[in-house]
């Protein structure tokens, strides 16, 4: 039997990947359509204008189909994501297409992104629903809940902010 990760390739995101990122954002935010994502002013800044200075991301292909992506960006001005900590700490977003979940792809993406981010940032944050099993994955990679960050979310549950220190972090201009 062929393991999914045997045919998996990872590559860095480019500006040209913005359309694909909207689809990944839809999955990451558990929305049912791209229209719903575009209608939400708090979701759009996770992808809009992808490719600005400091944006980092990776995508996974299997074998040629894009099946997942992990990306991060810092928040500027009045834009602040759900997992905002401060303007120097980028927020992570990640999604794997539903048929491909649970096969190690998210772990590969997260490892690639964190390795990259380590050269630029001192830490990375995210926002996750309290009942999302993805929380286990994040904890495995060193994310811990930011104290006092648990807040009601837009779907009636709670979400919390998690933060992962990036040990060898150094700022690259
Ligand atoms: C979260 C997500 C990116 C993880 O990618 P993945 O390829 O399923 O992850 P892996 O197979 O590498 O690792 C599985 C881990 O993710 C967790 N997980 C989260 N959602 C999962 C799902 N739908 N299916 C299987 N595992 C899932 C498991 O608990 C597991 O943790 P563990 O290995 O520590 O036990 C992916 O499941 C996904 O896109 N989920 C829907 C969107 C989402 O919730 N995004 C995160 C928003 S904060």
């Amino acid at each position: 039997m062929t393991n999914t990760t045997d045919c998996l390739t990872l590559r860095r995101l480019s500006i040209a990947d913005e359309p694909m990122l909207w689809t990944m954002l839809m999955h990451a935010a558990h929305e049912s359509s791209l229209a719903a994502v575009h209608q939400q002013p708090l979701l759009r800044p996770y992808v809009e204008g992808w490719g600005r200075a400091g944006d980092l991301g990776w995508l996974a292909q299997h074998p040629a189909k894009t099946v997942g992506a992990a990306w991060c960006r810092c928040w500027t001005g009045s834009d602040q994501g759900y997992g905002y900590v401060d303007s120097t700490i980028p927020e992570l977003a990640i999604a794997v297409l539903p048929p491909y979940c649970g096969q190690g792809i998210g772990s590969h993406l997260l490892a690639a992104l964190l390795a990259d981010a380590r050269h630029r940032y001192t830490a990375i944050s995210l926002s996750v629903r309290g009942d999302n099993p993805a929380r286990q994955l994040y904890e495995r990679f060193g994310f811990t809940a930011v104290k006092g960050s648990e807040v009601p979310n837009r779907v009636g549950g709670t979400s919390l902010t998690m933060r992962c220190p990036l040990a060898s972090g150094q700022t690259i201009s």
Side-chain angles (χ1 to χ4, degrees):
M1 200 173 97
T2 307
N3 188 318
T4 299
T5 55
D6 286 347
C7 305
L8 195 72
T9 52
L10 300 188
R11 72 155 170 82
R12 276 201 181 81
L13 289 176
S14 71
I15 291 178
D17 293 313
E18 182 177 326
M20 175 279 298
L21 271 191
W22 285 104
T23 302
M24 292 301 164
L25 180 60
M26 179 183 81
H27 290 288
H30 300 266
E31 288 292 345
S32 55
S33 70
L34 282 173
V37 174
H38 283 283
Q39 277 161 18
Q40 297 204 37
L42 290 176
L43 285 180
R44 284 201 304 267
Y46 283 85
V47 168
E48 211 156 47
W50 177 257
R52 70 184 186 215
D55 286 352
L56 287 181
W58 285 78
L59 68 76
Q61 291 179 311
H62 179 271
K65 176 183 163 75
T66 298
V67 295
W71 69 101
C72 68
R73 75 183 338 181
C74 285
W75 297 107
T76 56
S78 58
D79 281 341
Q80 289 185 4
Y82 292 101
Y84 176 83
V85 174
D86 72 42
S87 61
T88 67
I89 297 180
E91 182 178 342
L92 168 83
I94 183 169
V96 170
L97 297 185
Y100 295 87
C101 284
Q103 298 173 60
I105 297 172
S107 299
H108 283 291
L109 282 167
L110 199 45
L113 183 66
L114 293 182
D116 233 4
R118 213 169 284 287
H119 298 293
R120 259 169 211 271
Y121 299 112
T122 55
I124 186 167
S125 71
L126 60 82
S127 172
V128 62
R129 293 180 190 173
D131 60 357
N132 189 335
R135 197 171 158 178
Q136 274 175 241
L137 170 69
Y138 302 142
E139 283 167 355
R140 190 150 53 78
F141 276 85
F143 284 85
T144 54
V146 172
K147 214 173 162 193
S149 68
E150 196 152 347
V151 291
N153 62 28
R154 62 193 166 87
V155 293
T158 58
S159 292
L160 69 151
T161 300
M162 300 183 85
R163 182 181 180 282
C164 177
L166 299 172
S168 60
Q170 52 184 309
T171 305
I172 297 173
S173 55

